[in-house]
Amino acid sequence: QVQLVESGGGLVQAGGSLRLSCAASGRSSYCMGWFRQAPGKEREFVATINGIGGSSTYADSVKGRFTISRDNAKNTVNLQMNSLKPEDTAVYFCALRPDTFGAYTRPEHYNYWGQGTRVTVSS
């Protein structure tokens, strides 16, 4: 059973930065994604990276501001978030799909989810 634990959320002013981490138990070289869900909204895709780190995809809303990376030796995936905006406020979830080479953008493609970490960006 895979367990995912997110960390790094918090309160930050607009224009600031946060770094989210997701620690995965078990085998790590699988597709990992970050999603977010704001109050009253559906869960939306943020970024994904394939199991070997060779392919990543971003939502248009975060492209150029967020960077996803992974360290398979440490079983972690990170999301560096820069130039944060109030509209980035949400609970951020990491997710895993046991697929090494693909990178997926839809939540239904993922088999395992973390509990989420809250990010609040004040204006």
Side-chain angles (χ1 to χ4, degrees), residues 31-90:
C31 171
M32 298 287 289
W34 285 97
F35 292 77
R36 65 188 182 187
Q37 189 165 15
K41 295 188 176 180
E42 293 187 353
R43 192 167 297 190
E44 66 173 358
F45 166 73
V46 175
T48 182
I49 188 166
N50 74 351
I52 56 175
S55 176
S56 58
T57 303
Y58 297 89
D60 288 343
S61 59
V62 307
K63 202 172 293 183
R65 299 188 298 123
F66 291 11
T67 302
I68 190 170
S69 62
R70 68 187 305 145
D71 184 340
N72 285 348
K74 297 181 179 179
N75 286 8
T76 59
V77 173
N78 301 306
L79 185 70
Q80 178 66 42
M81 307 187 296
N82 298 329
S83 302
L84 283 161
K85 305 175 181 180
E87 51 263 44
D88 294 317
T89 295

Side-chain angles (χ1 to χ4, degrees), residues 35 42-43 95-97 104-113:
F35 292 77
E42 293 187 353
R43 192 167 297 190
L96 180 148
R97 175 183 170 96
Y104 299 86
T105 62
R106 299 176 66 89
E108 57 264 35
H109 290 153
Y110 288 82
N111 303 79
Y112 302 96
W113 292 83

